[in-house]
Amino acid sequence: MALYSDKVMDHFRNPRNVGVLEDANGIGEVGNPVCGDIMKMYLKINDDEIIEDVKFETFGCGSAIASSSMATELIKGKSVEEALSLTNKAVAEALDGLPAHKMHCSVLAEEAIKSAIDDYNKRKNGEK
Ligand code: FES
């Protein structure tokens, strides 16, 4: 069996939602100190707490790029609450699996979304 699924390869070669969202109201950045990879997530959340748009920038390995791409697809159009419940396992499953030693790459995607929502909540509560 190939190490990486077709879906991983597809999202790595043609990542969805790459870039910067100028009017984002929730931005999160996380990194993995071991491998040094960095992921930045931009969310545009409307008054009904629906994620209208999402973009990401990932400086990292192929699995991290595929995971961020898939994660953005999974949360686009969803509520903040639904996005918060997205686990790295669900991201990996949606990619038809990741090799065991690459599971930590999908953790970055989960953490980046949580960090961006945290930023959104802080702005909303006037803490920023
Ligand atoms: Fe660091 Fe994949 S090796 S995120």
Side-chain angles (χ1 to χ4, degrees), residues 10-26:
D10 176 35
H11 278 264
F12 166 57
R13 291 201 179 107
N14 309 296
R16 327 305 196 253
N17 307 308
V18 176
V20 178
L21 210 54
E22 296 297 345
D23 54 352
N25 53 1

Side-chain angles (χ1 to χ4, degrees), residues 61-126:
C61 73
S63 298
I65 292 168
S67 294
S68 16
S69 169
M70 179 55 86
T72 59
E73 291 270 276
L74 289 172
I75 63 166
K76 205 172 190 174
K78 298 278 168 57
S79 69
V80 167
E81 214 179 300
E82 285 171 306
L84 273 177
S85 66
L86 181 72
T87 62
N88 78 295
K89 216 169 147 253
V91 173
E93 270 166 20
L95 286 167
D96 291 338
L98 283 170
H101 68 287
K102 285 287 174 179
M103 276 306 280
H104 78 270
C105 316
S106 62
V107 173
L108 272 189
E110 177 187 330
E111 288 179 346
I113 290 168
K114 292 203 160 93
S115 160
I117 292 174
D118 188 51
D119 178 59
Y120 163 77
N121 282 328
K122 283 191 175 132
R123 291 182 200 216
K124 201 175 69 176
N125 299 331

Side-chain angles (χ1 to χ4, degrees), residues 26-81:
I27 301 173
E29 186 176 317
V30 292
N32 181 315
V34 178
C35 63
D37 291 353
I38 296 167
M39 193 181 292
K40 197 162 180 181
M41 193 69 69
Y42 301 85
L43 302 177
K44 187 181 173 201
I45 300 168
N46 70 16
D47 292 343
D48 297 324
E49 304 244 298
I50 301 293
I51 298 167
E52 267 186 6
D53 208 358
V54 46
K55 287 209 185 296
F56 78 90
E57 292 176 308
T58 291
F59 180 80
C61 73
S63 298
I65 292 168
S67 294
S68 16
S69 169
M70 179 55 86
T72 59
E73 291 270 276
L74 289 172
I75 63 166
K76 205 172 190 174
K78 298 278 168 57
S79 69
V80 167
E81 214 179 300

